Amino acid sequence: MVSGGRRLSGSVMVGGAKNSALKLMAAALLAEGTTVIENVPRIVDCLTMGEVLEHLGAGVQWEGSTLTIDTSNAAGVETPYELVRKMRASIIVLGPLLARHGRARVAMPGGCNIGSRKIDLHVRGFERMGVQFSSEHGYLEATAPSLRGAFVTLDFPSVGATENLLMAAVGATGRTVIENAAREPEIQDLAGMLVEMGAKIDGAGSTAIEIEGVDGFEPVRHRTIPDRVEAGTFALAACITQGDVMLEDARADHLDLVLDKLNDAGAQIEAGERSIRVSMPERALAVDLVTLPYPGFPTDLQPQIMSLLSVARGTSILTENVFESRFMFVDELNRMGADIRTEGHHAVIRGMDRLSAAPVRALDIRAGAAMIIAALAADGTTEVFDLYHVDRGYEDFDARLAALGADVHREREPSPAGLA
Ligand code: EPZ
């Protein structure tokens, strides 16, 4: 339940990056022994990745946001459907399993609310490295009698494909080059940990990553980078309430374009070494934007900024270039009185003076955060259902918003009658 009209103020500690921590956890499989990963957010997806590692025989211990992973007995190579169904990112264990064991059996991920989420770029890249695939009963069987380095060009700078191939290439025989690689900060964080473990990697964060395979890896202690998407989400919550919020442990250099866009919308941004102050003195101005692979505007902040623009002064045009159907939540936003029309990859957002509270659903992690952000500025009390989506990607999101002054509290979730 979120009652609109409160300005957010104060400071919030930004957690570790979900989309890095999940891959750092998978990378631990490459080394025999005990790996320690710090600043891991206690969110459902990271708990699920812990179950994946335990299913492979690893020991996983949480202590606050520090994770200890003992892979001494991690001889397993199978990731079952019930875990992949919960989190498609489980397929990121393919690379480390192929590098360490030469084989893997992983349930094929389905699509989700934002698109088909294919893995053809992962498979084609692995095949270039000598991996043979067969699929039956919804499982992908991968064998690599000898994993060899290869020259791989990605049709699209896929984050997951870049990471999966990177984690195989570090243990392959010979040299691998990944062209048209994704450049996200999470890729750089993963490469940093792999190098600490003994890998030989050049160019992480650029479009061409060069890897020289090595034989063995050492377990390390590594700290996850801050979550730029979580930082952006809280920044947008501050902006829609015309508030003034300090984001602690946030990396402005990971959010250049986002902060530029907020500035264009009228926000005042003060970027420190490890903090960002975001204040919005009055109602946001409309801005146009397109989502693109990093360093472009992140698709993972598209729903959240759509909420801000739905009450901005003027009309904005937003283009989603990364996922083929990441506008599913627009219908929910329009039920709150927004005026958004979508046409393929484009959305035209005519800013309204106010939104009005309505019962709405969270459709995925970021759409759920977007509904809550919209509710912060809506007239009345909004009920947001299916909050389990939000819990997959944000730790205590409601409580942390309340600590910033929002009137938000969580009730036992009745099954939403009438919301098909
Ligand atoms: C990662 O997903 C993130 N998830 C996503 O965040 C993020 O939106 C996405 O990168 C883009 O930045 C994690 O890191 C766990 P992609 P990933 O491979 O790796 C197509 C969130 O809310 N594609 O870069 O799956 C794909 O269909 C989530 O935190 C292929 O066609 O993203 C999509 O249209 C949502 N074939 C586009 O590329 C492939 O083999 C980008 O996908 C792989 C991808």
Side-chain angles (χ1 to χ4, degrees):
M1 309 279 271
V2 185
S3 299
R6 297 275 191 86
R7 283 172 181 243
L8 298 193
S9 64
S11 74
V12 60
M13 181 63 73
V14 174
K18 164 177 93 78
N19 292 344
S20 181
L22 293 173
K23 292 57 174 281
L24 302 175
M25 292 170 73
L29 291 166
L30 287 164
E32 180 142 354
T34 299
T35 294
V36 178
I37 306 173
E38 297 173 349
N39 204 27
V40 178
R42 290 187 71 97
I43 54 179
V44 170
D45 273 8
C46 289
L47 298 175
T48 303
M49 182 55 88
E51 289 175 56
V52 170
L53 297 180
E54 286 172 335
H55 189 86
L56 294 167
V60 177
Q61 293 292 327
W62 286 85
E63 199 175 320
S65 63
T66 297
L67 208 46
T68 301
I69 301 166
D70 177 359
T71 62
S72 314
N73 302 314
V77 294
E78 176 163 326
T79 299
Y81 178 66
E82 64 266 19
L83 289 175
V84 176
R85 181 174 58 83
K86 278 165 75 175
M87 182 185 63
R88 61 178 310 285
S90 313
I91 57 161
I92 207 72
V93 297
L94 257 175
L97 289 177
L98 287 167
R100 180 158 177 199
H101 300 298
R103 65 193 186 91
R105 185 169 191 273
V106 180
M108 286 190 276
C112 69
N113 276 330
I114 57 177
S116 60
R117 310 297 295 273
K118 294 180 292 184
I119 59 168
D120 55 324
L121 302 180
H122 300 235
V123 171
R124 279 219 301 274
F126 283 131
E127 286 174 336
R128 296 293 300 266
M129 299 172 74
V131 181
Q132 287 135 24
F133 285 96
S134 63
S135 61
E136 52 165 9
H137 310 306
Y139 277 79
L140 207 53
E141 302 268 351
T143 50
S146 66
L147 198 62
R148 60 175 185 273
F151 192 94
V152 178
T153 301
L154 295 176
D155 295 5
F156 180 88
S158 152
V159 171
T162 302
E163 294 164 331
N164 234 339
L165 296 171
L166 176 61
M167 287 194 276
V170 294
T173 303
R175 183 166 168 268
T176 297
V177 179
I178 305 173
E179 282 284 355
N180 198 24
R183 300 169 55 191
E184 274 70 0
E186 293 76 27
I187 308 264
Q188 298 172 58
D189 195 25
L190 173 61
M193 177 173 155
L194 291 168
V195 168
E196 290 157 14
M197 294 168 72
K200 290 195 172 68
I201 304 170
D202 280 315
S206 78
T207 55
I209 304 177
E210 294 195 24
I211 304 110
E212 202 59 49
V214 297
D215 275 344
F217 298 96
E218 289 303 314
V220 296
R221 173 183 284 266
H222 181 85
R223 181 174 182 78
T224 314
I225 56 171
D227 194 322
R228 63 195 167 98
V229 178
E230 177 170 275
T233 303
F234 278 109
L236 287 157
C239 287
I240 203 169
T241 62
Q242 296 175 35
D244 183 347
V245 169
M246 178 66 84
L247 308 172
E248 301 290 357
D249 202 21
R251 294 265 310 255
D253 60 322
H254 289 167
L255 285 163
D256 284 339
L257 202 52
V258 174
L259 298 178
D260 283 355
K261 283 296 171 188
L262 291 183
N263 190 260
D264 293 347
Q268 286 157 9
I269 308 286
E270 288 167 41
E273 187 60 34
R274 302 289 294 199
S275 66
I276 307 168
R277 180 174 175 186
V278 180
S279 60
M280 179 68 92
E282 51 190 4
R283 197 173 145 203
L285 293 166
V287 293
D288 294 340
L289 69 93
V290 298
T291 68
L292 283 167
Y294 192 88
F297 191 95
T299 175
D300 287 350
L301 285 172
Q302 178 260 96
Q304 300 93 311
I305 200 164
M306 182 91 85
S307 292
L308 174 67
L309 298 177
S310 66
V311 290
R313 284 172 286 164
T315 297
S316 308
I317 297 179
L318 186 153
T319 303
E320 168 60 57
N321 291 311
V322 177
F323 287 103
E324 70 265 26
S325 65
R326 198 165 199 170
F327 286 151
M328 306 276 276
F329 73 99
V330 165
D331 293 341
E332 293 296 288
L333 218 40
N334 284 339
R335 293 181 56 246
M336 295 178 71
D339 178 355
I340 305 170
R341 280 163 292 125
T342 62
E343 184 68 42
H345 285 259
H346 304 289
V348 179
I349 309 138
R350 197 162 62 83
M352 309 301 284
D353 291 346
R354 305 286 297 174
L355 295 179
S356 63
V360 291
R361 281 193 302 156
L363 297 179
D364 63 70
I365 302 177
R366 311 303 176 184
M371 301 320 296
I372 294 170
I373 287 174
L376 291 173
D379 278 339
T381 299
T382 299
E383 290 180 276
V384 183
F385 292 98
D386 299 345
L387 281 179
Y388 61 88
H389 285 293
V390 177
D391 294 335
R392 287 190 48 197
Y394 295 94
E395 191 174 342
D396 299 332
F397 191 51
D398 48 323
R400 293 157 79 196
L401 286 172
L404 291 170
D407 181 353
V408 54
H409 61 279
R410 180 175 289 212
E411 292 196 337
R412 184 189 57 73
E413 286 223 44
S415 58
L419 287 172

